[in-house]
Amino acid sequence: MLGAPPQSGLQRRLGSRQIAMIGLGGAIGTGLFLGSSLAISQAGPATIIAYVVCALVALVIAWALAEMVVVHPEAGAFGAVAHRYVGPFAGFLTRWTYWTIQVIATGGEVIAAGIYLRFWWPEMPLWLPVAVFGLVVIAINAATVRLFGDVEYWFAMVKVVAIVVFILLGIALIVFGLPHAPATGLDNLTGHGGFLPKGWTGLLLAMVFVLFSYIGTEVVSVTAAESADPVRDIPRAARRMVLRLSLFYILAIAVVLTIVPWTVTAQGSGITSSPFVRVFQSAGVPAAATVMNLVVLTAALSSANTNLYLTTRMLHSLAEDRYAPRWAGHLTASGVPRNALVVSALGLVLAAALSWQQNNAAYIVLFGVSIFGALVVWLMILLTHAVFRRRRRSRGLPPSPVRLWGAPVTTGLAALFLVGVLVSTWFIDGLEPAWQYGVPFFVLLGAGYLVIARRRRESVPEVVTREGAE
């Protein structure tokens, strides 16, 4: 059961450079550029601490994933490893949940991209850019994985350059001042109620919102089945991606909270009120709002592109284990799971249609499932890692060439943190849909598994699967 991974037919054409940038592209969304106002409204300048703590949790998860997937670099990544070590139901639950939340995210990002385009052409009907951008990301994913990696590399590069330039200009504004603004100093970190204006309770609430900024760090593990050298590339890419992501987030938020009073940032929304725009304007950058809109448009397309990639690979893996229709696992001559892409694209269209109005019932259901599902997936990753370690040790199998430092203590602490966040969503205004719709979603998934598992046994009782043959 714990031997070499099956051959999925996916082509190993991604290098560590592409994989690291794909990870950044999936994790850096539009929220950072538009102010992270929800978290800041809860904790003020102490939001910096929230980003540091959540970065440590993301690092534990990314390193646990790297430890597992370098041993099993196969389609489905952590979902396939959960299938192998925890059991078929765990693999089914993890992969279908991840597919669902990423389809929802893809639909939301495509709509966001359309809204950002209308910044320049407000009279344009929203359905037009949404349809065009949807076709663009589908076309990119339908090409070879190498082309996908190259496109996503440059998509992510736009975001990285924008953040780096912002941080450098922000530091210059804080210390020296810029041509159109005097130096701000550090007063905003302690003024307006102090560094911790709403106490420790506010900081804990901010962590709930900040944690979702790091959702997407698991994308590196999904690329393992298409990495040219997973043993070398995945650990390197995971380390680079999490460290860069953490550095970008922490420094960017620190700059935001230093140059703009947190009471102002907490109320801001939209392009023109973004702290990024203020810094660029202070540096004399012409049309700063237009430049920033181009960046967030690219960020939305980058996230949509990566999320669609993730959904196709998860569905392909489910088809391999016969928990999705077998035809969804078929590959083109270039190694692309195009049937899985078509199904995921249909899910994208449905999610976009249901998310069109953010105050309707369908959007609230999707929002709740996304939050609850993301936390459950991360908890399943940590559970799988604990079982992975224990079973390999008990069977005398060699340890992974990559080892998570401090495990099982570090994985236990990260899991407790995630459980605390999951429980807290029940009590936080605006996050109640997580439990209201997340629990019924998992009940439906469980019922679906029982039906599919019984049909598998009845139709092909002698079937050789991961859980029985390896």
Side-chain angles (χ1 to χ4, degrees), residues 241-308:
M241 186 269 297
V242 174
L243 292 178
R244 289 173 183 171
L245 180 67
S246 302
L247 191 64
F248 290 159
Y249 270 135
I250 294 166
L251 288 179
I253 290 298
V255 167
V256 165
L257 290 165
T258 304
I259 62 176
V260 182
W262 74 268
T263 51
V264 175
T265 305
Q267 299 173 356
S269 63
I271 294 294
T272 55
S273 61
S274 167
F276 279 73
V277 172
R278 173 171 174 170
V279 169
F280 290 148
Q281 287 175 335
S282 299
V285 175
T290 295
V291 172
M292 203 61 241
N293 193 64
L294 179 61
V295 171
V296 294
L297 172 60
T298 305
L301 289 175
S302 171
S303 295
N305 191 43
T306 299
N307 291 341
L308 188 57

